[in-house]
Amino acid sequence: MGIDPGLTRCGVGVVEGRPGAPGTMVAVDVVRTDPEAGLADRLLALDEGLRALIDAHRPEAVAVERVFSQHNVASVIGTAQASGIALLAAARSGLPSATYTPSEVKNAVCGNGTADKRQVTTMITRILRLTEPPKPADAADALAIAVCHLWRGGVQARIAQAAAKERIR
Amino acid sequence: MGIDPGLTRCGVGVVEGRPGAPGTMVAVDVVRTDPEAGLADRLLALDEGLRALIDAHRPEAVAVERVFSQHNVASVIGTAQASGIALLAAARSGLPSATYTPSEVKNAVCGNGTADKRQVTTMITRILRLTEPPKPADAADALAIAVCHLWRGGVQARIAQAAAKERIR
C-alpha cells in the first residue's frame, strides 16, 4: 500500500506484485477530511479512513512519501502530521513501513527523479496496464509510491523486519 | 493535560484547577522515544506513552503547543508528527483539544510573549507553588501549556465541544 500523505486529501494505492514484475492495481482511493473541521477531528477521520483501508486490503507493507521541508511552509506541517498518522496506522496494524522521497518515487517509475506529475501518471498507467489514468489524479502518486516500494523496497523491508524481530528478542 | 510535542522527548504536564485560580500540579512526565529506532516504531511508542498517561490521569481536555514553521527546519517535521499523534490520542479518547502558539503560552504564564525558557520555568514553579522547578526541565513547558489552557482555554473549549456535539447531530 502506497500512501501520499495529505490532511485534506490523502492518496492511497494498493498494488500486488513482486520486484521485477510489472504489478497489478488492487485499489486506489483518496481519504478526504473536512478543512472546516478542527485539527484533532481531521486527524481522527484520517486515522479511521486509513485503518479501514488497511483492514479492507490487508497489505503486506505500507510505503509513505517522505515529507520535505522545502515544500510550501504553510502546508508542510499538515502534511507531516498526515504522514505521522499513516506511519502510526501501519505500526498499529503490525505492518512494516518504509518512506521514500518524491525523487526516489519518480526515479523508480519514470527513471528520472525530476519527472513531473503528468509523466508519473503516464508511466503508472502504463506500468499497471490500466485502460485509463487512475482517478482521482492525486491517487496516481500513491500508486507510484506502492510500485516504488514493490521494486525498490522489498529487500530493505525484509532487512528492517528482521532487525525489528531481533530487537523484540 | 498540556503536551509539548517532540519525537525524542515529549513533555506532558497535568494541572488541576479552574480559570482565575492558581491551579495544582497533578503530574509531570516526559515520553521518550529511541532516536535509533525506525520512525513508525517511534510514533507507535509515543502514541502508547501518551495514551497510557491519558488513561492514568483522565484529563478533561488536552492542550498541545502549536508547531511553527520558523522552528529548526530539520526538526519541524518530527515535531509536527508528534503533535499530530498527541491530537489524535486526545480525539481517540473523546477528549476536546486545543492548540496554543509558544507566544500565547508565554504570555499566559509570564505576561510576556517573548519570555525565555528560564522565565517560563520560574513562573510555572511560582504559579503551581512547587518547592523546586519541575524536572526534567522540558516538562516545565508542558505544565505552562496546561496552565495556559486552564486560564485561557476554558471558554473556547466549551464552545468547541458544543460545536462538535452540534456536528454529530
Side-chain angles (χ1 to χ4, degrees), chain A residues 86-131:
Chain A
L87 289 165
L88 176 66
R92 281 168 61 204
S93 297
L95 297 174
S97 60
T99 59
Y100 298 98
T101 65
S103 69
E104 284 174 325
V105 173
K106 289 169 180 174
N107 205 46
V109 301
C110 301
N112 168 9
T114 61
D116 64 19
K117 221 170 174 60
R118 197 182 46 77
Q119 287 174 285
V120 170
T121 300
T122 304
M123 281 307 297
I124 205 69
T125 306
R126 200 172 296 171
I127 289 166
L128 298 175
R129 289 154 299 167
L130 305 175
T131 51

Side-chain angles (χ1 to χ4, degrees), chain B:
Chain B
M1 174 180 284
I3 299 181
D4 183 21
L7 198 48
T8 303
R9 303 173 62 81
C10 183
V12 179
V14 183
V15 170
E16 193 162 23
R18 54 190 163 73
T24 323
M25 184 176 88
V26 174
V28 63
D29 210 334
V30 173
V31 178
R32 295 171 179 82
T33 77
D34 178 6
E36 304 290 313
L39 177 55
D41 288 341
R42 299 181 73 185
L43 295 169
L44 183 62
L46 177 60
D47 179 58
E48 288 171 350
L50 291 177
R51 285 161 61 85
L53 288 170
I54 288 173
D55 288 347
H57 298 294
R58 305 189 165 277
E60 285 171 28
V62 174
V64 182
E65 192 163 277
R66 196 174 301 167
V67 185
F68 260 112
S69 43
Q70 68 253 40
H71 283 172
N72 177 351
V73 161
S75 73
V76 74
I77 291 171
T79 309
Q81 288 172 326
S83 78
I85 300 303
L87 289 164
L88 176 66
R92 281 168 60 204
S93 298
L95 297 174
S97 60
T99 60
Y100 298 98
T101 66
S103 70
E104 284 173 325
V105 174
K106 289 169 180 176
N107 205 47
V109 300
C110 301
N112 167 9
T114 60
D116 64 19
K117 221 170 175 60
R118 198 182 46 78
Q119 286 173 284
V120 171
T121 300
T122 303
M123 281 307 297
I124 205 70
T125 306
R126 199 173 295 169
I127 289 166
L128 297 174
R129 290 154 298 168
L130 306 175
T131 51
E132 54 178 355
K135 273 182 188 129
D138 22 359
D141 283 336
L143 289 170
I145 295 159
V147 168
C148 172
H149 182 70
L150 195 64
W151 289 357
R152 293 200 30 169
V155 178
Q156 286 102 302
R158 277 193 293 274
I159 292 170
Q161 228 174 342
K165 275 186 195 151
E166 203 58 44
R167 277 202 302 280
I168 289 166
R169 268 173 215 156

